Amino acid sequence: MGNIYGYVRVSTREQKEDRQMDALEKLKVPEKNIYIDKQSGRDFERPNYQKLLHKLKPEDLLYIKSIDRLGRNYEEILEQWRIITKEKKTDIAVLDMPLLDTRRGKDLAGTFLSDVVLQILSFVAENERSNIRQRQREGIEAAKKRGVQFGRPPKPVPENFIQVYNRWIEKEISGEAAAGLCGLTMSTFYRKANMCKEWQKEAE
């Protein structure tokens, strides 16, 4: 029997890894052998995951809490599974799915069953994420149609804006000077000035 390792991933620095860590501690995975990444699972360019890959050797065992901790992309998950189990010859055990444990059934039938289950779960996980993104897009579009505004509310127009705007239109002052008098950035001043021009056109 080789070394026992654990891999933990959360998507952001704000998320907690406690649940995954608790599961690994119950299995007595040495703390020094637990590698943690606080990073999206979109790709595998994660520093601690790469360090872990470098460490893995034949007869080692890697624990992960669930298959989506390994990654989020269907094809990449399958590729990494192949690298770990076939190239590194390291066993993997997915705690939330006992069928995904390469220590079980080393014969052809056992390997086939594990591979099929992995492919199905990876596909379902990625498909569900695609559905969530689609529902989010549809929800945003529906909200926009109802007049819901997204993003930061626009800054109110300064009290002296019209007066300064008129001086700028008459070329008495530059755009930079006008923006400074209104306490706005150049881009914000020009954006509000363009809006003001549109309002004037509509009023004519």
Side-chain angles (χ1 to χ4, degrees), residues 71-137:
R72 293 171 56 186
N73 179 281
Y74 171 62
E75 293 181 355
E76 282 289 346
I77 289 174
L78 296 178
E79 175 62 11
Q80 295 302 313
W81 187 275
R82 185 193 65 77
I83 291 171
I84 293 169
T85 60
K86 302 297 193 294
E87 293 185 11
K88 297 286 185 176
K89 300 188 185 307
T90 298
D91 279 316
I92 305 180
V94 180
L95 302 181
D96 285 353
M97 179 55 63
L99 281 174
L100 289 179
D101 186 338
T102 58
R103 295 172 298 176
R104 300 171 181 266
K106 290 288 187 179
D107 58 6
L108 183 61
T111 301
F112 175 76
L113 177 61
S114 178
D115 287 348
V116 169
V117 172
L118 171 66
Q119 291 192 42
I120 292 172
L121 287 178
S122 300
F123 174 78
V124 168
E126 184 173 356
N127 193 55
E128 178 57 22
R129 281 187 292 272
S130 296
N131 289 338
I132 289 172
R133 288 193 294 269
Q134 179 63 27
R135 289 195 293 269
Q136 287 174 337
R137 285 194 295 268

Side-chain angles (χ1 to χ4, degrees), residues 40-59:
S40 168
R42 292 177 184 173
D43 59 55
F44 287 86
E45 296 304 317
R46 310 176 214 134
N48 286 322
Y49 179 76
Q50 294 301 323
K51 288 179 184 177
L52 170 63
L53 273 187
H54 184 71
K55 285 274 189 181
L56 294 177
K57 301 185 301 296
E59 298 187 2

Side-chain angles (χ1 to χ4, degrees), residues 139-151:
I140 290 171
E141 289 302 318
K144 285 181 177 178
K145 288 179 181 178
R146 295 196 306 269
V148 176
Q149 297 293 322
F150 292 89

Side-chain angles (χ1 to χ4, degrees), residues 164 167-168 171-181 186 189-190:
V164 173
R167 291 180 61 193
W168 173 68
K171 296 186 174 13
E172 293 180 15
I173 56 176
S174 67
E176 184 177 1
L181 288 170
M186 291 278 290
F189 174 79
Y190 285 127

